Amino acid sequence: MSKIMKDVSWNLFSQVIPAITAIFCIPLLVDKAGLEIFGIITLVWALINYAGILDFGVSKVLTKMVAESRNELGKARNIALIGMMLMIVFGILVAGLIISFKSIIVSGIYNSSINPSELSALVIVVAFASFAVCISNGLRGILEGHEEFAIVAFVRTPMTVWSFVSPL
């Protein structure tokens, strides 16, 4: 099998397995938790995924620049270091924004049947998860720049599957 087919296969694997997991887990989650809690979980997933968008394309630039400088180890290392420092800053900013607007977020989704202190704690968890998403996007960009798609798939697949299984 050619290198490109292997890379495509790893990428496909890391997308299909979580999708199949979601098909089975989401109906169970709705039955177990109810629509109200499932709605909050969906908002949490959305907030965490939006954190990945807020890297302003740095992860994609990392992929491109690392790929272009793979043969120059020192240059690739410097690009990765600067890119990860930017990702850390973005992660801190995103987490800080989420924490800063915690009361607005909680009051926006508050419902009498859900404890507001639990929602407040959940917002803090989302803030830290958003920071982790920013960091992982940077690391993924570096790995993809080095064409290490199997490693990316081995990390992304269980993490995405866990996001559907863990609320059960």
Side-chain angles (χ1 to χ4, degrees):
M1 185 183 311
S2 71
K3 170 116 174 79
I4 196 162
M5 286 306 294
K6 286 181 186 175
D7 293 343
V8 167
S9 298
W10 282 118
N11 198 15
L12 186 63
F13 170 79
S14 71
Q15 301 286 327
V16 170
I17 299 300
I20 291 170
T21 304
I23 289 169
F24 290 105
C25 288
I26 289 175
L28 294 172
L29 184 56
V30 170
D31 287 342
K32 182 178 179 183
L35 284 175
E36 189 173 64
I37 298 297
F38 178 72
I40 291 172
I41 290 170
T42 302
L43 288 172
V44 166
W45 286 335
L47 275 172
I48 291 170
N49 285 320
Y50 278 125
I53 294 171
L54 292 177
D55 75 358
F56 303 106
V58 172
S59 59
K60 297 302 177 196
V61 170
L62 267 172
T63 302
K64 181 183 183 304
M65 292 183 74
V66 166
E68 290 174 349
S69 63
R70 270 194 328 211
N71 296 331
E72 303 171 53
L73 186 58
K75 185 177 178 182
R77 186 179 300 131
N78 288 338
I79 291 168
L81 181 63
I82 291 167
M84 286 309 298
M85 288 177 10
L86 278 172
M87 298 305 287
I88 289 169
V89 169
F90 288 143
I92 290 170
L93 288 174
V94 169
L97 281 171
I98 292 171
I99 291 170
S100 297
F101 290 102
K102 178 176 69 168
S103 61
I104 294 170
I105 294 169
V106 169
S107 66
I109 60 174
Y110 176 71
N111 186 316
S112 60
S113 67
I114 300 169
N115 185 336
S117 64
E118 289 177 355
L119 282 176
S120 184
L122 180 63
V123 171
I124 300 295
V125 169
V126 167
F128 285 107
S130 298
F131 175 78
V133 165
C134 286
I135 301 303
S136 68
N137 282 348
L139 293 172
R140 188 184 74 229
I142 293 166
L143 287 169
E144 288 176 351
H146 284 290
E147 296 182 3
E148 295 292 347
F149 297 103
I151 296 172
V152 172
F154 277 120
V155 173
R156 181 176 27 196
T157 304
M159 294 304 292
T160 309
V161 165
W162 180 248
S163 73
F164 293 115
V165 173
S166 64
L168 293 174

